[in-house]
Amino acid sequence: RGLGPGDFVLMIDGKVVPIASFEYRDSTLPLDTGVGEAPRPAPAVAPPRGEAHPRRFVLFFLDGISSPHGLTAARRAADTFLASGLLPTDQIALVSYVRRLELLQDFTTDRDRLRQVVQASLNDSRRVSDFMPEQDRRIDDNSPDSVCAMLRAAARSASNMSPFGGRGVSASPTAIHQAKFFLNTYAAEEGSRLRDALVALRVTVDSLTSWPGYKAIVLMGDGIPDNPALIYLDRCGVDSAPPELLSAAEFHNLRLEFKALVDDAAGAGVTVHSIETGGLVAGRAAEQRAATRRSESFRTLSFNTGGLASRSNDLLAGLKTAEAASREYYLLGYQPEGPPDGRSHSVVLRVKRSGATARYRRGFLRPLPSEVREREIRSAHMIPEFYPDLDLDLSAITGPSGRAGRDVDLVLHVPRSHLLLLPGPGGPAARLEVGFVVLDETRNETFRDSRQFRIALPPEGGGEEAAGLNLFRRVRLPPGPQTITAVLYDLQAGDVGAARVSLPAASDGAAPILGLSIYSLAEKSLWVEAGETTPAADGAERTAAFTLGPALRTSFAPGEPLSCGFRVSGHGPDAPALRLLVRSGEREISRMDVSGGEAIGTVSVPLPAGGLTAGEYLLVVQEIGAEGAIDRAGLPFRITAGEGAGGVASPQAR
């Protein structure tokens, strides 16, 4: 405490630069409300002030490349930490990487909810990875395909080829070739998974770019070796590998991937704390060298982003230390020269006070606008929950299906107030880019498309009363379960929003109910087709056409009047009667008969949703037959009441 700007020396790319602003932040103070105040004209020692925004931590469980035992201990430590180790305003998100990135819980202050998610993941068998057990098997001398025996034979062969090799036994090129083949095979397989883990970390870092205030990732796992091939040489105790093996190992190094991760974290202002869940390693020197190689990348990542690295058997202490390190800190501002250059710049910070040390980000990145956009869109597709700013609402309305697939209407709703409309020819206009990505249950891509378009509202009439925008696209998807992600980029404001919805597998046979959907009668929306577009003959930007209609959504306010629409297939004079039900879990909330035997064609009726409180619901269409009622179609929807007790940040809070 008590330091001023004169106590620091700031160097950028090796040159001393002036400190443009200087503040002391204390997160234990009340939240600062002076977000929009003008910057000070000169450095000044200000009294301690609270954060303008809450601190945010992402607890990242690196399951896919770590020992299950260590990650079990990490989860138990996290459960205890969440019970008592945070400020009330801190927002926590839970993320896991197994074979892919999984968001277990979005940012919230609801500690009970967080602990429930952590405890549930303890019993989730999907988090158990075979990465470390398989590596153990490969180095086991008793295994028929043990790589250690081959590596040692190759090392002995290379030693015997040297005039200083001792016994002078002739070398065996076959031993070196065989060892090189297995080393390349194993390192390539593990390297692919390590790269995927680093990509998952980069995506998480990039997704935090637009969140203001202090933000940190607490990375928990066995470490990430910067070269999977060298791990085998370490664990097998091969101290002097032949040049052929060393050159093969160099092909698998991940240094560029680690540098990209550090640059991204610097550009996003993200601090990475690391906790090695394997703890202190005892035993053979070979195992200790391998453990050191795994943890070295953790320490380097934390060092370069201003975080702390913990390697002990007390995982809870590591979590508490990481949290305590950000309660108080100095915020130094630097004024860069010129426009963004897309390059990384080194930072050196020295403290003049005797005995004082500084922990800080060792560099920063000034990415080009195109690079920022590309990274944000990529991250939004991976973690849409971290991009709530545009308040998107995605619906997937199913149509006819067959063996070849099914027709699905994708409808993305965005409130008009969240878009930046700028004056232009023909009236105020928005310029948007929308992209859809659909994955099946094996994570294979079944559909991908993106479109840019301009929407202009006439200055008088023709859409000025619309409160929202519905972008729709008809696609053909396989009949199996699908996960659909939509990302919307406001080209004029630079804002990114995302939403995701799961589509269950199509039922066998012809579905009697098609296109089940819910509309708000309290809101009009502009309906714009986001499908195939034909460019203007002169190459100029084409303005998208729209129609005005009711808003199709899945989230509604309490008391909002709603309408339900669907098509009845197989109709006729003997068609059975239909009934609408609203359920909350297994409990029936309301019901309404829709039609009798004369039901034909399209049905549009008011939805019996009056009096519903905030929560998750299911709209069900039942067929009433001689043997009773049969559920024929269902559609989840929710009643929202703004920001809840969980404390998830609203777009305005961000």
Side-chain angles (χ1 to χ4, degrees), residues 55 197 301 307 373 473 499 509 520 558 585 611 631:
R55 296 186 302 171
L301 183 57
R373 172 187 169 190
R473 174 76 192 269
S520 169
D631 292 354

Side-chain angles (χ1 to χ4, degrees), residues 147 151 176 179-191 194-195 225-234 238 240-257 293:
V147 70
L151 291 175
I176 294 179
K180 182 178 176 180
F181 172 79
F182 275 90
L183 184 66
N184 275 327
T185 301
Y186 293 160
E189 180 184 327
E190 293 186 6
L194 294 172
R195 284 185 174 89
D226 62 358
N227 191 318
L230 295 182
I231 283 289
Y232 281 99
L233 295 175
D234 287 339
V238 179
S240 300
E244 295 93 334
L245 292 186
L246 292 178
S247 62
E250 183 60 25
F251 177 76
H252 301 283
N253 81 72
L254 304 174
R255 286 190 290 271
L256 291 179
E257 286 83 352
R293 187 178 299 278

Side-chain angles (χ1 to χ4, degrees), residues 299-339:
R299 292 197 296 269
T300 301
L301 183 57
S302 296
F303 175 80
N304 283 288
T305 60
L308 292 169
S310 172
R311 187 185 181 189
S312 76
N313 295 323
D314 191 345
L315 305 184
L316 179 58
L319 285 166
K320 290 182 176 180
T321 302
E323 182 276 328
S326 63
R327 290 203 172 198
E328 301 172 75
Y329 59 91
Y330 291 96
L331 187 64
L332 279 66
Y334 155 70
Q335 181 62 51
E337 297 179 357

Side-chain angles (χ1 to χ4, degrees), residues 48 103 133 166 178 199 272 287 387 504 518 522 576 601 614 622-623 638:
L103 178 66
Q178 189 178 35
V199 168
V272 180
E287 291 295 341
Y387 291 84
I518 302 175
Q622 285 188 334
E623 180 182 295
R638 69 182 62 87

Side-chain angles (χ1 to χ4, degrees), residues 125-336:
S125 61
R126 295 175 301 171
R127 72 173 179 86
V128 178
S129 167
D130 64 348
F131 185 89
M132 293 302 291
E134 181 66 13
Q135 189 179 94
D136 291 339
R137 185 189 67 79
R138 288 169 175 173
I139 69 168
D140 185 357
D141 287 329
N142 296 318
S143 175
D145 54 352
S146 169
V147 70
C148 285
M150 301 174 195
L151 291 175
R152 294 184 190 118
R156 287 195 300 269
S157 177
S159 176
N160 292 332
M161 292 175 64
S162 167
F164 306 103
R167 292 175 296 172
V169 180
S170 60
S172 171
T174 301
I176 294 179
H177 176 77
Q178 189 178 35
K180 182 178 176 180
F181 172 79
F182 275 90
L183 184 66
N184 275 327
T185 301
Y186 293 160
E189 180 184 327
E190 293 186 6
S192 175
R193 294 177 68 173
L194 294 172
R195 284 185 174 89
D196 287 346
L198 290 172
V199 168
L201 271 168
R202 288 188 66 187
V203 166
T204 307
V205 164
D206 292 341
S207 69
L208 299 175
T209 300
S210 61
W211 293 91
Y214 179 86
K215 48 204 172 185
I217 295 175
V218 183
L219 182 59
M220 291 176 278
D222 286 347
I224 307 176
D226 62 358
N227 191 318
L230 295 182
I231 283 289
Y232 281 99
L233 295 175
D234 287 339
R235 295 195 67 184
C236 294
V238 179
D239 298 322
S240 300
E244 295 93 334
L245 292 186
L246 292 178
S247 62
E250 183 60 25
F251 177 76
H252 301 283
N253 81 72
L254 304 174
R255 286 190 290 271
L256 291 179
E257 286 83 352
F258 272 105
K259 183 180 184 305
L261 174 59
V262 170
D263 285 347
D264 280 7
V270 175
T271 300
V272 180
H273 302 288
S274 59
I275 299 176
E276 192 173 351
T277 53
L280 300 177
V281 176
R284 296 188 302 121
E287 291 295 341
Q288 293 183 20
R289 284 198 302 271
T292 299
R293 187 178 299 278
R294 285 194 300 265
S295 62
E296 184 64 31
S297 59
F298 266 23
R299 292 197 296 269
T300 301
L301 183 57
S302 296
F303 175 80
N304 283 288
T305 60
L308 292 169
S310 172
R311 187 185 181 189
S312 76
N313 295 323
D314 191 345
L315 305 184
L316 179 58
L319 285 166
K320 290 182 176 180
T321 302
E323 182 276 328
S326 63
R327 290 203 172 198
E328 301 172 75
Y329 59 91
Y330 291 96
L331 187 64
L332 279 66
Y334 155 70
Q335 181 62 51

Side-chain angles (χ1 to χ4, degrees), residues 354-443:
S354 176
T357 58
R359 188 179 67 255
Y360 57 94
R361 283 192 288 274
R362 304 281 164 162
F364 67 92
L365 186 71
R366 298 190 66 202
L368 300 173
S370 59
E371 294 173 337
V372 175
R373 172 187 169 190
E374 179 183 347
R375 289 207 298 264
E376 283 215 297
I377 290 177
R378 178 187 64 182
S379 300
H381 277 292
M382 295 288 288
I383 319 179
E385 295 85 354
F386 281 5
Y387 291 84
D389 283 10
L390 296 182
D391 198 17
L392 302 183
D393 192 325
L394 178 61
S395 301
I397 310 302
T398 56
S401 63
R403 290 185 177 180
R406 51 179 164 171
D407 292 329
V408 179
D409 284 341
L410 305 179
V411 183
L412 184 65
H413 179 274
V414 54
R416 178 174 158 184
S417 60
H418 287 30
L419 301 176
L420 179 59
L421 300 171
L422 296 179
R431 294 181 62 246
L432 306 173
E433 178 179 352
V434 62
F436 297 99
V437 174
V438 185
L439 304 177
D440 63 17
E441 57 186 338
T442 62
R443 306 296 293 177

Side-chain angles (χ1 to χ4, degrees), residues 47-105:
R49 56 191 301 184
E51 283 278 14
H53 302 275
R55 296 186 302 171
R56 295 186 174 93
F57 295 88
V58 177
L59 303 190
F60 196 115
F61 301 100
L62 205 57
D63 293 287
I65 56 175
S66 302
S67 164
H69 175 75
L71 268 297
T72 296
R75 281 172 166 82
R76 287 173 176 160
D79 181 50
T80 304
F81 172 69
L82 291 168
S84 59
L86 293 158
L87 300 175
T89 55
D90 290 339
Q91 294 188 2
I92 311 298
L94 303 174
V95 172
S96 171
Y97 169 77
V98 185
R99 286 284 186 163
R100 61 179 184 270
L101 185 64
E102 295 185 15
L103 178 66
L104 304 178
Q105 174 60 50

